[in-house]
Amino acid sequence: MTERQKYQVIHKINGIEIRNYSPYVTADILVNEDYDKAANQGFRPLANYIFGNNIAMTAPVIVQNETDKSDKSEKWQVSFVMPDGSKIEDMPAPSGAVKLRAEEAEISAAIKFSGYTSKARVKKFEAKLFEILKEQNIQVTGKVRIARFDPPWKPGFIRHNELIVPIEFKA
């Protein structure tokens, strides 16, 4: 079974989870394409990096909007989370457009959903996530990450996806 990114659920509120994520490392690539093409275009160079360096495939694959207001086209960061406990200094150096990034531990809110991650479905669940956070007076501190856990050939009705956003949370 594919290793999943580690976290602890510290609270549940109206269908969302408040999670404490351990520090983690990602391999990232920035794709200048619209959302529908970005994940597919970013997947191959990231897969080449991990498989070419005998790094285990993990889940999720993360897609995050990096479009700036001044940009005329969309930019999406596609990321593979490296196996738990990975340290950036111990990882093989990537080539080309692939970059490594270390993230500190963080508290995030997550909402789970099945099916495809079309723009419309992502917007629907993002609105629901933000509505619940607003009702609870929980401050969002970062960008929404679209987390996909399944291969593209898996039927939509059994796919597992999440939207994850860093927050400020006091238990």
Side-chain angles (χ1 to χ4, degrees):
M1 180 153 168
T2 303
E3 178 184 329
R4 289 191 175 194
Q5 185 178 15
K6 303 286 189 247
Y7 62 83
Q8 291 181 319
V9 176
I10 56 175
H11 198 67
K12 292 185 180 185
I13 307 166
N14 299 334
I16 67 170
E17 293 180 345
I18 307 301
R19 300 173 175 174
N20 184 6
Y21 280 89
S22 301
Y24 61 99
V25 173
T26 62
D28 305 324
I29 189 163
L30 191 62
V31 178
N32 293 314
E33 277 291 350
D34 66 28
Y35 171 75
D36 294 326
K37 295 177 186 172
N40 289 335
Q41 193 170 334
F43 189 89
R44 182 170 309 281
L46 294 171
N48 288 343
Y49 170 72
I50 66 164
F51 296 131
N53 288 290
N54 295 317
I55 300 169
M57 181 72 186
T58 63
V61 173
I62 298 170
V63 181
Q64 181 173 302
N65 191 329
E66 293 295 331
T67 306
D68 186 296
K69 288 183 179 18
S70 65
D71 289 332
K72 292 184 173 85
S73 61
E74 291 181 67
K75 291 181 185 171
W76 293 88
Q77 180 175 275
V78 182
S79 306
F80 282 10
V81 176
M82 297 295 100
D84 187 47
S86 294
K87 304 278 185 248
I88 202 165
E89 58 272 11
D90 298 333
M91 301 300 298
S95 60
V98 175
K99 307 286 183 230
L100 294 176
R101 175 174 48 96
E103 287 291 332
E104 298 296 322
E106 69 180 10
I107 304 294
S108 294
I111 189 167
K112 300 175 184 180
F113 62 102
S114 62
Y116 293 100
T117 54
S118 67
K119 250 185 180 176
R121 285 184 59 74
V122 167
K123 288 288 181 207
K124 172 185 165 185
F125 285 97
E126 184 177 310
K128 183 176 179 181
L129 175 62
F130 282 4
E131 179 183 322
I132 293 167
L133 294 173
K134 184 176 179 181
E135 286 171 0
Q136 299 295 317
N137 293 316
I138 297 173
Q139 183 69 37
V140 172
T141 61
K143 295 181 181 182
V144 173
R145 302 187 298 261
I146 303 162
R148 300 171 173 177
F149 289 82
D150 298 303
W153 56 85
K154 195 169 197 178
F157 67 94
I158 56 174
R159 286 186 182 198
H160 174 78
N161 309 294
E162 298 176 353
L163 296 182
I164 304 164
V165 65
I167 60 170
E168 188 173 305
F169 182 75
K170 309 244 185 321

Coordinates of all heavy atoms in Angstrom, one line a residue, residues 100-152:
L100 N 13.3 20.7 -4.6 CA 12.9 20.2 -3.3 C 12.6 21.3 -2.3 O 13.1 22.4 -2.4 CB 14.1 19.4 -2.7 CG 14.4 18.1 -3.5 CD1 15.6 17.4 -2.9 CD2 13.3 17.1 -3.5
R101 N 11.6 21.0 -1.4 CA 11.2 22.0 -0.5 C 10.9 21.3 0.9 O 10.3 20.3 0.9 CB 9.9 22.7 -1.0 CG 9.2 23.7 0.0 CD 8.1 24.4 -0.7 NE 7.2 23.5 -1.4 CZ 6.0 23.0 -0.9 NH1 5.7 23.4 0.3 NH2 5.3 22.2 -1.7
A102 N 11.4 21.9 2.0 CA 11.1 21.4 3.3 C 10.1 22.3 3.9 O 10.1 23.5 3.9 CB 12.4 21.4 4.1
E103 N 9.1 21.6 4.5 CA 8.0 22.4 5.2 C 8.1 22.0 6.7 O 8.3 20.9 7.1 CB 6.6 22.0 4.7 CG 6.3 22.5 3.3 CD 6.1 24.0 3.3 OE1 5.7 24.6 4.4 OE2 6.4 24.7 2.3
E104 N 7.8 23.0 7.5 CA 7.8 22.8 9.0 C 6.4 22.2 9.4 O 5.5 22.1 8.6 CB 7.9 24.2 9.7 CG 9.2 24.9 9.4 CD 10.4 24.2 10.0 OE1 10.3 23.6 11.1 OE2 11.5 24.2 9.3
A105 N 6.3 21.7 10.6 CA 5.1 21.2 11.1 C 4.0 22.3 11.0 O 4.4 23.5 11.1 CB 5.2 20.8 12.6
E106 N 2.8 22.0 10.8 CA 1.7 23.0 10.6 C 0.4 22.4 11.1 O 0.2 21.2 11.0 CB 1.6 23.5 9.2 CG 1.1 22.5 8.2 CD 1.0 23.0 6.8 OE1 1.5 24.1 6.5 OE2 0.4 22.3 6.0
I107 N -0.5 23.3 11.5 CA -1.9 23.0 11.8 C -2.7 23.4 10.5 O -2.5 24.5 10.0 CB -2.4 23.7 13.0 CG1 -1.5 23.5 14.2 CG2 -3.8 23.4 13.3 CD1 -1.5 22.1 14.7
S108 N -3.5 22.4 10.1 CA -4.3 22.7 8.9 C -5.7 22.1 9.1 O -5.9 21.2 9.9 CB -3.7 22.0 7.6 OG -2.4 22.5 7.3
A109 N -6.6 22.7 8.3 CA -8.0 22.1 8.2 C -8.1 21.4 6.9 O -7.5 21.8 5.9 CB -9.0 23.3 8.2
A110 N -8.8 20.2 6.9 CA -9.0 19.4 5.8 C -10.4 19.0 5.6 O -11.1 18.7 6.6 CB -8.1 18.2 5.8
I111 N -10.9 19.0 4.4 CA -12.2 18.4 4.0 C -12.0 17.3 3.0 O -11.2 17.5 2.1 CB -13.2 19.5 3.5 CG1 -14.6 19.0 3.4 CG2 -12.7 20.2 2.3 CD1 -15.6 20.1 3.2
K112 N -12.6 16.2 3.2 CA -12.5 15.0 2.3 C -13.7 15.0 1.3 O -14.8 15.4 1.7 CB -12.5 13.7 3.1 CG -11.4 13.6 4.1 CD -11.6 12.4 5.0 CE -10.5 12.3 6.1 NZ -10.7 11.1 6.9
F113 N -13.4 14.5 0.1 CA -14.5 14.3 -0.8 C -14.1 13.2 -1.8 O -12.9 13.0 -2.1 CB -14.9 15.6 -1.5 CG -13.9 16.3 -2.3 CD1 -13.9 16.2 -3.7 CD2 -12.9 17.0 -1.7 CE1 -12.9 16.8 -4.5 CE2 -11.9 17.7 -2.5 CZ -11.9 17.6 -3.9
S114 N -15.0 12.6 -2.4 CA -14.8 11.6 -3.5 C -15.0 12.2 -4.8 O -15.5 13.3 -5.0 CB -15.6 10.3 -3.2 OG -17.0 10.7 -3.3
G115 N -14.7 11.4 -5.9 CA -15.0 11.8 -7.2 C -13.8 12.5 -7.8 O -12.7 12.4 -7.4
Y116 N -14.1 13.2 -8.9 CA -13.0 13.9 -9.7 C -12.8 15.2 -9.0 O -13.6 15.8 -8.3 CB -13.4 14.0 -11.1 CG -13.4 12.7 -11.8 CD1 -14.6 12.0 -12.1 CD2 -12.2 12.1 -12.2 CE1 -14.6 10.8 -12.7 CE2 -12.2 10.8 -12.9 CZ -13.4 10.2 -13.1 OH -13.4 9.0 -13.7
T117 N -11.6 15.8 -9.3 CA -11.2 17.1 -8.8 C -11.3 18.2 -9.9 O -10.4 18.9 -10.1 CB -9.8 17.1 -8.2 OG1 -8.9 16.6 -9.2 CG2 -9.7 16.2 -6.9
S118 N -12.5 18.3 -10.5 CA -12.7 19.3 -11.5 C -12.7 20.7 -10.8 O -12.8 20.7 -9.5 CB -14.0 19.1 -12.1 OG -15.1 19.3 -11.2
K119 N -12.5 21.7 -11.5 CA -12.5 23.1 -10.9 C -13.8 23.3 -10.2 O -13.7 23.9 -9.1 CB -12.3 24.1 -12.1 CG -11.0 24.8 -12.1 CD -11.0 25.9 -13.1 CE -9.7 26.6 -13.1 NZ -9.5 27.6 -14.1
A120 N -14.9 22.9 -10.8 CA -16.2 23.2 -10.1 C -16.3 22.5 -8.8 O -16.8 23.0 -7.8 CB -17.3 22.8 -11.1
R121 N -15.9 21.2 -8.7 CA -16.0 20.4 -7.5 C -15.0 21.0 -6.4 O -15.4 21.1 -5.3 CB -15.7 18.9 -7.7 CG -16.9 18.2 -8.4 CD -16.6 16.8 -8.6 NE -16.4 16.0 -7.4 CZ -17.3 15.7 -6.5 NH1 -18.6 16.1 -6.6 NH2 -17.0 15.0 -5.4
V122 N -13.8 21.4 -6.9 CA -12.9 21.9 -5.9 C -13.5 23.2 -5.3 O -13.4 23.4 -4.1 CB -11.5 22.2 -6.6 CG1 -10.6 23.1 -5.7 CG2 -10.8 20.9 -6.9
K123 N -14.0 24.1 -6.2 CA -14.6 25.4 -5.7 C -15.8 25.1 -4.7 O -15.9 25.8 -3.7 CB -15.1 26.2 -6.9 CG -14.0 26.8 -7.7 CD -13.4 28.0 -6.9 CE -12.3 28.6 -7.7 NZ -11.3 29.2 -6.9
K124 N -16.6 24.1 -5.0 CA -17.7 23.7 -4.1 C -17.2 23.3 -2.7 O -17.7 23.8 -1.7 CB -18.5 22.6 -4.7 CG -19.6 22.0 -3.9 CD -20.2 20.8 -4.5 CE -21.0 20.0 -3.5 NZ -21.5 18.7 -4.1
F125 N -16.2 22.5 -2.7 CA -15.7 22.0 -1.4 C -14.9 23.1 -0.7 O -14.8 23.1 0.5 CB -15.0 20.7 -1.5 CG -15.9 19.5 -1.7 CD1 -16.2 19.0 -3.0 CD2 -16.6 19.0 -0.6 CE1 -17.1 18.0 -3.2 CE2 -17.5 17.9 -0.8 CZ -17.8 17.4 -2.1
E126 N -14.2 23.9 -1.5 CA -13.4 25.0 -0.9 C -14.4 26.0 -0.2 O -14.1 26.4 0.9 CB -12.7 25.7 -2.0 CG -11.8 26.8 -1.5 CD -11.0 27.5 -2.6 OE1 -10.3 26.7 -3.4 OE2 -11.0 28.7 -2.7
A127 N -15.5 26.3 -0.8 CA -16.5 27.2 -0.2 C -17.1 26.6 1.1 O -17.2 27.3 2.1 CB -17.7 27.4 -1.2
K128 N -17.3 25.3 1.1 CA -17.8 24.6 2.3 C -16.8 24.7 3.4 O -17.1 25.0 4.5 CB -18.2 23.2 2.0 CG -18.8 22.4 3.1 CD -19.2 21.0 2.7 CE -19.8 20.3 3.9 NZ -20.2 18.9 3.5
L129 N -15.5 24.4 3.1 CA -14.4 24.4 4.0 C -14.3 25.8 4.6 O -14.3 26.0 5.8 CB -13.1 24.0 3.4 CG -11.8 24.1 4.2 CD1 -11.9 23.2 5.4 CD2 -10.6 23.7 3.3
F130 N -14.3 26.8 3.8 CA -14.1 28.2 4.3 C -15.3 28.7 5.1 O -15.1 29.5 6.0 CB -13.8 29.2 3.1 CG -12.4 29.1 2.6 CD1 -11.5 28.2 3.1 CD2 -12.0 30.0 1.6 CE1 -10.2 28.2 2.6 CE2 -10.7 29.9 1.1 CZ -9.8 29.0 1.6
E131 N -16.5 28.2 4.7 CA -17.7 28.6 5.4 C -17.6 28.1 6.9 O -17.9 28.8 7.8 CB -18.9 28.1 4.7 CG -20.2 28.4 5.5 CD -21.4 27.8 4.8 OE1 -21.5 27.7 3.5 OE2 -22.3 27.3 5.5
I132 N -17.2 26.8 7.0 CA -17.1 26.2 8.3 C -16.0 26.9 9.2 O -16.2 27.2 10.3 CB -16.8 24.7 8.2 CG1 -18.0 24.0 7.6 CG2 -16.4 24.1 9.6 CD1 -17.8 22.6 7.2
L133 N -14.9 27.2 8.5 CA -13.8 27.9 9.3 C -14.3 29.3 9.7 O -14.0 29.7 10.8 CB -12.5 28.0 8.4 CG -11.9 26.6 8.1 CD1 -10.7 26.8 7.1 CD2 -11.4 26.0 9.3
K134 N -15.0 30.0 8.8 CA -15.5 31.3 9.2 C -16.5 31.3 10.3 O -16.4 32.1 11.3 CB -16.1 32.0 8.0 CG -16.6 33.4 8.2 CD -17.1 34.0 6.9 CE -17.5 35.4 7.2 NZ -18.1 36.1 6.1
E135 N -17.4 30.3 10.3 CA -18.4 30.1 11.4 C -17.7 29.9 12.7 O -18.2 30.2 13.8 CB -19.3 28.9 11.1 CG -20.3 29.1 10.0 CD -21.0 27.8 9.6 OE1 -20.7 26.7 10.2 OE2 -21.9 27.9 8.7
Q136 N -16.5 29.2 12.7 CA -15.8 28.9 13.9 C -14.7 29.9 14.3 O -13.9 29.7 15.2 CB -15.1 27.5 13.7 CG -16.0 26.4 13.5 CD -16.9 26.1 14.7 OE1 -16.5 26.1 15.8 NE2 -18.2 25.9 14.4
N137 N -14.7 31.0 13.5 CA -13.7 32.1 13.7 C -12.3 31.6 13.7 O -11.4 32.0 14.5 CB -13.9 32.8 15.0 CG -15.2 33.6 15.0 OD1 -15.5 34.3 14.0 ND2 -16.0 33.5 16.1
I138 N -12.0 30.7 12.7 CA -10.7 30.1 12.5 C -10.0 30.8 11.4 O -10.6 30.9 10.3 CB -10.7 28.6 12.3 CG1 -11.3 27.9 13.5 CG2 -9.4 28.0 11.9 CD1 -11.6 26.4 13.4
Q139 N -8.8 31.4 11.6 CA -8.1 32.2 10.6 C -7.3 31.3 9.7 O -6.5 30.4 10.1 CB -7.2 33.1 11.3 CG -6.4 34.1 10.4 CD -7.3 35.1 9.8 OE1 -8.2 35.6 10.3 NE2 -7.0 35.4 8.5
V140 N -7.5 31.5 8.4 CA -6.7 30.8 7.3 C -5.4 31.5 7.2 O -5.3 32.7 7.2 CB -7.5 30.8 6.0 CG1 -6.6 30.2 4.9 CG2 -8.7 30.0 6.1
T141 N -4.3 30.7 7.2 CA -3.0 31.4 7.1 C -2.1 31.0 5.9 O -1.0 31.4 5.8 CB -2.1 31.0 8.4 OG1 -2.0 29.5 8.4 CG2 -2.8 31.4 9.7
G142 N -2.7 30.3 5.0 CA -2.0 29.9 3.8 C -2.9 29.6 2.6 O -4.1 29.8 2.7
K143 N -2.4 29.0 1.6 CA -3.1 28.6 0.4 C -3.7 27.2 0.5 O -3.2 26.3 1.1 CB -2.2 28.7 -0.8 CG -1.7 30.0 -1.1 CD -0.8 30.0 -2.4 CE -0.2 31.4 -2.7 NZ 0.6 31.3 -3.9
V144 N -4.8 27.0 -0.2 CA -5.5 25.7 -0.3 C -4.6 24.8 -1.2 O -4.2 25.2 -2.2 CB -6.9 25.9 -0.9 CG1 -7.5 24.5 -1.2 CG2 -7.8 26.7 0.0
R145 N -4.5 23.6 -0.7 CA -3.8 22.5 -1.4 C -4.9 21.5 -1.8 O -5.7 21.1 -1.0 CB -2.7 21.8 -0.6 CG -1.7 22.8 -0.1 CD -0.5 22.0 0.6 NE -0.9 21.3 1.8 CZ -0.7 21.7 3.1 NH1 -0.3 22.9 3.3 NH2 -1.0 20.9 4.1
I146 N -4.8 21.1 -3.1 CA -5.7 20.0 -3.6 C -4.9 18.7 -3.5 O -3.9 18.6 -4.1 CB -6.1 20.3 -5.0 CG1 -6.8 21.6 -5.1 CG2 -7.1 19.1 -5.5 CD1 -6.9 22.2 -6.6
A147 N -5.4 17.8 -2.6 CA -4.6 16.6 -2.4 C -5.4 15.4 -3.1 O -6.5 15.1 -2.7 CB -4.5 16.3 -0.9
R148 N -4.7 14.8 -4.0 CA -5.3 13.6 -4.7 C -4.5 12.4 -4.3 O -3.3 12.3 -4.3 CB -5.1 13.8 -6.2 CG -5.7 15.1 -6.8 CD -5.3 15.3 -8.2 NE -6.0 16.4 -8.8 CZ -5.8 16.8 -10.0 NH1 -4.9 16.2 -10.8 NH2 -6.5 17.8 -10.5
F149 N -5.3 11.4 -3.9 CA -4.7 10.1 -3.4 C -4.7 8.9 -4.3 O -4.2 7.9 -4.0 CB -5.5 9.8 -2.1 CG -5.2 10.7 -0.9 CD1 -5.8 11.9 -0.8 CD2 -4.2 10.4 0.0 CE1 -5.6 12.8 0.2 CE2 -3.9 11.3 1.0 CZ -4.6 12.5 1.1
D150 N -5.4 9.1 -5.5 CA -5.6 7.9 -6.3 C -5.0 8.1 -7.7 O -4.9 9.2 -8.2 CB -7.1 7.6 -6.4 CG -7.6 7.2 -5.0 OD1 -7.1 6.3 -4.4 OD2 -8.6 7.9 -4.6
P151 N -4.7 7.0 -8.4 CA -4.2 7.1 -9.8 C -5.3 7.5 -10.7 O -6.5 7.3 -10.4 CB -3.7 5.7 -10.1 CG -4.4 4.8 -9.1 CD -4.7 5.6 -7.9
P152 N -5.0 8.1 -11.9 CA -6.0 8.6 -12.8 C -6.9 7.5 -13.3 O -8.0 7.8 -13.7 CB -5.2 9.2 -13.9 CG -3.8 8.9 -13.7 CD -3.6 8.3 -12.3

